[in-house]
């Protein structure tokens, strides 16, 4: 795998820089001659000076530290003349401030031509990288992933990697000497992204709705009863209504293809249930290898996703592992992780480990809002299912 991937170039995040003056003649702004040291003014998003910010100068490789300075009460961080002279024209400047690195920046700077000396620190981001690797394949993963041309590394924990605090920007993720993904982080973002590792990542597309029928993709191999929709406790289904066939729940958009779409009114305490059997009446599947569920959604509602045990324990009640999520306008990905399910014995919500080998239903409970669209339901950590 290491030899098959090709290195990609890292995208650089360029912040808008504005000029300033400095009264100390030893620390003028960077010039084309770079004959003096450099003074950088560190500000926040509102351009207010930041004191006690740690500012570091790195060579253009992004990993070799040249010098670190701390900004004073006016937000000014100074670098020595000999530090600047050792830079080969271009470099990176890192800024960190706030409790637990809450503000950060990673800014390219051309020491030969730049006359600007202001850098803006924005809310830092966090990045979790899933691999979708089964437990038995974790030994084939790299121990460390690296954001190319930066000092940011993440150690492997099981089958995933976590960068707890990194600046906003566009980065290339590198495993060993090979690029494996490009990621774009907005300020303050909490990103949870799959990084596909050839020969290791496992995914099963449970449903993409492209065939337009009521059967999920397990039915291509094993029989099941497919999708159904029910309005409960005062909720009302508007589209499709309760007597329409499943085709009425399928919509289509240019560039996206087909997806499940429902309009509804939940009432004061009602909900809409969208569900599908994984098998026949008493059929069940072992999904214990599941590492994440991801689905693409758009809507204006709160909803729960559940994987339910096949055996009924009451009047149409089943033990279930359940995760809560929210849909907002515009398509976006939701990631649900086994081990982070919502537990409630009163409603038969149990830990994933209790039922994961005997799953009979996939269910979506919609509790608020007026519409929900669902596309691309994917099970990570497995590449297929069997009874």
């Amino acid at each position: 795998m290491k030899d098959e991937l090709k290195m990609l170039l890292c995208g650089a995040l360029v912040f808008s820089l504005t000029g300033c003056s400095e009264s100390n003649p030893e620390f003028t702004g960077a010039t084309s001659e770079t004959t003096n040291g450099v003074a950088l003014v560190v500000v926040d998003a509102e351009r207010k000076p930041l004191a006690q910010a740690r500012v570091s100068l790195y060579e253009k490789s992004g990993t070799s530290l040249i010098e670190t300075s701390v900004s004073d009460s006016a937000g000014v961080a100074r670098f020595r003349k000999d530090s600047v002279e050792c830079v080969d024209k271009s470099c990176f400047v890192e800024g960190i401030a706030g409790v637990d690195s809450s503000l950060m920046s990673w800014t390219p700077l051309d020491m030969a031509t730049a006359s600007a000396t202001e850098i803006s620190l924005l809310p830092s981001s966090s990045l979790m990288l899933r691999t979708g690797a089964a437990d038995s394949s974790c030994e084939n993963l790299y121990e460390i992933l690296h954001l190319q041309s930066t000092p940011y590394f993440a150690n492997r924990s099981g089958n995933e990697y976590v960068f707890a605090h990194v600046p906003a920007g566009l980065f290339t993720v590198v495993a060993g000497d090979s690029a494996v993904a490009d990621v774009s982080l907005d300020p303050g973002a909490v990103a949870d992204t799959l990084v596909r590792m050839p020969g290791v990542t496992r995914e099963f597309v449970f449903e993409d709705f492209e065939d337009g029928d009521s059967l999920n993709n397990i039915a291509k191999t094993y029989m099941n009863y497919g999708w159904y929709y029910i309005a409960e406790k005062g909720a009302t289904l508007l589209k499709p209504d309760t007597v329409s066939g499943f085709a009425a729940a399928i919509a289509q958009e240019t560039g996206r293809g087909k997806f499940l779409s429902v309009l509804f009114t939940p009432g004061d305490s009602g909900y809409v249930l969208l569900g599908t059997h994984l098998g026949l009446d008493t059929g069940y599947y072992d999904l214990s290898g599941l590492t994440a569920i991801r689905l693409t959604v758009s809507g204006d509602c709160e909803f729960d996703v559940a994987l339910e045990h096949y055996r009924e324990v009451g009047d149409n009640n089943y033990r279930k592992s359940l995760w809560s999520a929210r849909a907002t306008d515009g398509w976006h990905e939701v990631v649900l992780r086994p081990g982070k399910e919502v537990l409630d014995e009163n409603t038969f919500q149990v830990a994933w480990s209790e039922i994961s080998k005997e799953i009979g239903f996939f269910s979506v409970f919609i509790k608020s809002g007026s519409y929900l669209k669902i596309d691309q339901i994917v099970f990570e950590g497995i590449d297929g299912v069997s009874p």
Side-chain angles (χ1 to χ4, degrees):
M1 178 180 67
K2 299 178 182 178
D3 296 330
E4 294 174 351
L5 298 174
K6 296 182 179 180
M7 182 69 70
L8 299 178
L9 295 177
C10 175
L13 170 67
V14 181
F15 286 100
S16 176
L17 302 177
T18 57
C20 69
S21 62
E22 173 58 46
S23 59
N24 188 334
E26 292 299 318
F27 295 96
T28 61
T31 68
S32 59
E33 296 180 359
T34 62
T35 57
N36 297 303
V38 171
L40 301 178
V41 178
V42 186
V43 299
D44 62 15
E46 298 178 350
R47 297 193 63 190
K48 295 179 181 178
L50 287 170
Q52 297 299 305
R54 187 172 77 250
V55 184
S56 300
L57 187 66
Y58 284 83
E59 291 185 353
K60 61 183 178 181
S61 66
T63 56
S64 298
L65 178 64
I66 299 171
E67 183 185 355
T68 294
S69 178
V70 176
S71 63
D72 61 20
S73 59
V76 179
R78 297 177 171 84
F79 293 94
R80 300 187 308 270
K81 176 181 177 180
D82 57 345
S83 293
V84 176
E85 288 178 338
C86 78
V87 177
D88 182 19
K89 293 186 179 181
S90 60
C91 65
F92 286 97
V93 175
E94 177 191 57
I96 299 177
V99 177
D100 205 16
S101 303
S102 60
L103 298 176
M104 297 182 72
S105 70
W106 180 251
T107 309
L109 187 65
D110 189 335
M111 304 300 291
T113 61
S115 59
T117 56
E118 182 177 291
I119 60 172
S120 297
L121 273 56
L122 302 177
S124 60
S125 305
S126 64
L127 173 62
M128 180 173 289
L129 298 175
R130 311 183 311 276
T131 64
D135 290 343
S136 59
S137 300
C138 285
E139 62 184 18
N140 298 321
L141 295 172
Y142 286 89
E143 289 302 312
I144 295 174
L145 291 187
H146 171 217
L147 301 187
Q148 190 178 54
S149 299
T150 77
Y152 308 122
F153 293 78
N155 293 319
R156 180 173 66 84
S157 176
N159 59 5
E160 61 190 29
Y161 306 80
V162 178
F163 295 85
H165 300 283
V166 291
L170 176 63
F171 301 98
T172 294
V173 180
V174 176
D177 58 357
S178 301
V180 294
D182 290 318
V183 294
S184 179
L185 300 174
D186 294 328
V190 179
D192 192 343
T193 302
L194 179 70
V195 175
R196 291 178 174 85
M197 301 289 189
V200 177
T201 296
R202 296 185 181 183
E203 298 176 274
F204 174 68
V205 180
F206 174 66
E207 181 63 277
D208 55 11
F209 304 103
E210 288 302 321
D211 53 19
D213 65 25
S214 64
L215 300 178
N216 61 62
N217 287 337
I218 293 178
K220 295 177 179 179
T221 307
Y222 305 104
M223 285 294 297
N224 64 51
Y225 294 126
W227 286 90
Y228 50 88
Y229 39 88
I230 305 170
E232 295 281 1
K233 297 183 179 181
T236 302
L237 270 166
L238 303 177
K239 183 181 178 181
D241 59 35
T242 53
V243 297
S244 298
F246 185 77
I250 299 297
Q252 188 167 359
E253 291 179 2
T254 302
R256 170 155 295 278
K258 296 178 181 178
F259 53 88
L260 180 63
S261 176
V262 292
L263 301 176
F264 52 86
T265 56
D268 292 336
S269 59
Y271 65 90
V272 171
L273 167 62
L274 306 175
T276 177
H277 293 262
L278 271 65
L280 299 177
D281 287 334
T282 58
Y284 60 85
Y285 294 81
D286 183 352
L287 300 186
S288 58
L290 189 72
T291 58
I293 307 167
R294 73 174 192 268
L295 57 159
T296 306
V297 300
S298 177
D300 64 351
C301 61
E302 295 178 340
F303 64 98
D304 297 326
V305 173
L307 288 170
E308 303 191 63
H309 196 256
Y310 78 97
R311 186 182 298 118
E312 189 175 16
V313 293
D315 184 14
N316 202 32
N317 288 314
Y318 300 82
R319 290 191 299 155
K320 61 180 69 68
S321 290
L322 181 143
W323 298 265
S324 294
R326 177 183 291 274
T328 56
D329 189 34
W331 289 101
H332 58 282
E333 189 174 80
V334 171
V335 178
L336 310 171
R337 293 172 171 272
K340 296 186 177 181
E341 51 274 12
V342 180
L343 304 180
D344 184 352
E345 293 183 1
N346 294 326
T347 54
F348 308 102
Q349 295 170 207
V350 300
W352 174 243
S353 58
E354 293 186 27
I355 62 171
S356 62
K357 294 185 178 181
E358 297 179 336
I359 299 300
F361 303 89
F362 178 93
S363 302
V364 178
F365 301 91
I366 311 171
K367 303 177 291 184
S368 67
S370 63
Y371 79 99
L372 178 64
K373 302 174 183 179
I374 302 175
D375 195 8
Q376 288 292 330
I377 304 171
V378 180
F379 295 161
E380 294 179 13
I382 59 177
D383 51 15
V385 297
S386 58

